[in-house]
Amino acid sequence: MSFNTSSRQLSKTDEAPEDVPSQEVTPLDAPAPRDTVQTSEAETPEVSAPEAKAPETEAPEAKAPEAEAPEAKAPEAPEAEAPEAEAPEATTDPEPKAPEAKDPEPEAPEAEASQTETSQTEASETGTPETEGPEAEAPDADAPEGEVEAPEQAAAAPDPAVSDADTPTAPRPRRWRRVWGGWREKYPVAARVLAWTTTAVALAVVVVALLMPTQADKVRIAAFVRLPVEAIFGAALLIVLPRKPRIAVAAFAGLGLGALTVVNFLDIGFNEYLGRGFNVVLDWSLFSDAQGYLQDTFGKGGALGIAALAVTLVIAVLALTTLSVIRLGNLAARHTETATRTTLVLAIAWVTCAALGVQYAAGIPIASEHTMQALQFKAEQVQRTLQDEAEFAKIAKKDNFANTPPDQLLTGLRGKDMMITFIESYGRSAIEDPVMAPGVDATLTAENKKLTDAGFAAKSGWLTSATYGGSSWLGHSTFMSGLWISNQQRYRTVTAGERLTLPGAFKKTGAWDTVGVMPGVQKAWPEQNFYGIDKLYDSHKLGYKGPKFSWSTMPDQYALTAFERLVHSKKHDKPLMSTIILTSSHQPWAPIPELVPQDQVGDGSIYNAIEKAGKKPADIITDSTKSKQEYGKSIQYSVSSLINYLVKYGNKNTVLIFLGDHQPIARVSGNHASRDVPVSIVAKDPKVLDKIAAWNWADGLQPKQDTPVWKMNAFRDRFLTAYGSTPAP
């Protein structure tokens, strides 16, 4: 008896069609009587691939049945596909099973669906693409021999009624998967090494991100050889989650860890430069100032390059932490038993170390909660910031001198030309640090002798600034408003109000004209009205034609000379109350101006050669010792410029108050330096200094180590009281 499963309908006889030669078969190879059943067109595409039973011989035909049509006419195919294990099942049932064959819903498609679903599930859990095994797509792999058609014969005479869309095809794997799979098979050792290395890098990234300190001086190996409790909890969660939720949770956790890492880097930078961590509520506005500083220091191209590099690093950190957490989560899912045991052991070790207080060194416990503590601190910082805003608004409304009548303000200074001068970054470290102090102290001694020879006297003390390393405007506003302005929100609040400032108090009396000389102001400055300054001379109004010295727009000597030419030397109906901010000691302290003969200052062109001959920021910015040395020289230059001006242009009615606005950055002042700055009052009239005798300040320009220290916001009220102002809240 012959067997043909062409798509044409078969006659209900045992004879083959005339166009196909007859083939004798042994009783062992004879198909079940069900071959006499007429095969429906709808069933043809669903039962045409039994290759799953013999993948080693029939896999090529299963991938592309249309292309193999000529070979499908070989009569030996049914014998090759019929394993002997199936023969007893086909011959032991002599009775035809026509009712089952005529069933319109055969069981084969169900078997196919079950096999396909199982294949997809296994592929998704193991990470192996479904398309790598074409045999998995073969339907009816377990169907009896008599219920399916031979694929070669079916391909030889396809039914035109069956569309291509209805014919199942094995999807091709993506190109990168095929390339990677081939490379992995060709170089198995290299593939294993690469996989292990990638896993090790992912683990290192996660551990470093979880344990990174927020201060540069605490970054050491011991800080990273600890057990982070966050990693233990995270591993336990990822082990029990199904695939899709696991990947989603891992991606979210990775992004969060990346964001926390970026904030940690910002904390390190802010602690290095400003002596405090990054405030996630208030400090975003400082990036524009940082960009301006970089542009002044490294040029426009250098600033853009640094900004682009910073953005690239942020993106890289976020991507790296996210991919690392996902990889570790997938690894734990593939090796659930091992991951579970490891997590349990680490959890027991963490609890034991935490209970016993085991530490590598003082302050470095093995059982770490660093990330949880950091998140808690940031959350509390946000809460404190929001609360502080409301509380400070109430404090700012209270002013002991708000209602003092003009004729009861500053009666002890009437007729005096007042100068309040800030020297940028002039801090206590300049006087006491062993690297900087010798040169600065020698300058203060020499300049004090000049003052004495010219008939002036000075008293000096210490003030604790509200800022450190930068944000000079916080120090300026604290000193002149009598309020502790320690962050940007407080600054906005106070400058938006009507607080009485020191220049404003002089203006309120009606006995002084108020002016401001601020070479660092390069754009609109609405705070002018808040401070009570009638006329402002910014960087555009001082007539400077020379070069910039990094951030500083002009040398201090030129700014003071321009003040004399444009303001002080003019005739005035009233004395002047002048607020002057000197900038030559602003970081990066390279290049530094030099003193030139007063009659050669001119329009500043003389400084071109000095600027070109000076050091470049890159020469010192990464070297702490060189930065200290150059910083000390800049303070000497600023103090000498100011005292030279006072000796040359001051008179018996001149009163000078000068101070630093904050300490220099930690790389110069030290990681644990105070926030103290020197302050001095200089006058020819002895009565001026007699009024502050009770302050116990040191004689001369250099305060002593045991000279009293006040908070900077305390100066305004003490100064107003000492010079005849009557409190009237």
Side-chain angles (χ1 to χ4, degrees), residues 3-5 10 30-40 42-50 53 81-82 86 89-90 93 95-111 139-151 154:
F3 179 63
N4 191 323
T5 56
L10 301 177
R34 295 178 63 171
D35 61 359
T36 60
V37 179
Q38 186 177 23
T39 305
S40 66
E43 295 174 355
T44 301
E46 299 178 358
V47 293
S48 59
K53 298 205 176 221
E81 292 182 358
E86 299 280 345
E89 182 178 351
D93 188 7
E95 297 296 328
K97 296 183 180 181
E100 293 181 10
K102 291 181 180 181
D103 190 347
E105 296 181 359
E107 296 179 3
E110 295 180 5
D140 297 328
D142 296 328
E145 190 78 20
E147 295 182 308
V148 298
E149 297 177 342

Side-chain angles (χ1 to χ4, degrees), residues 2 12 70 174 197 214 222-223 272 345 388 395 432-433 536 649 702 714:
S2 64
K12 297 183 180 180
R174 293 181 179 178
T197 302
T214 58
E272 181 74 9
V345 170
D388 178 75
I395 295 173
E432 296 182 349
D433 184 271
L536 177 68
Y649 299 108
Q702 186 173 348

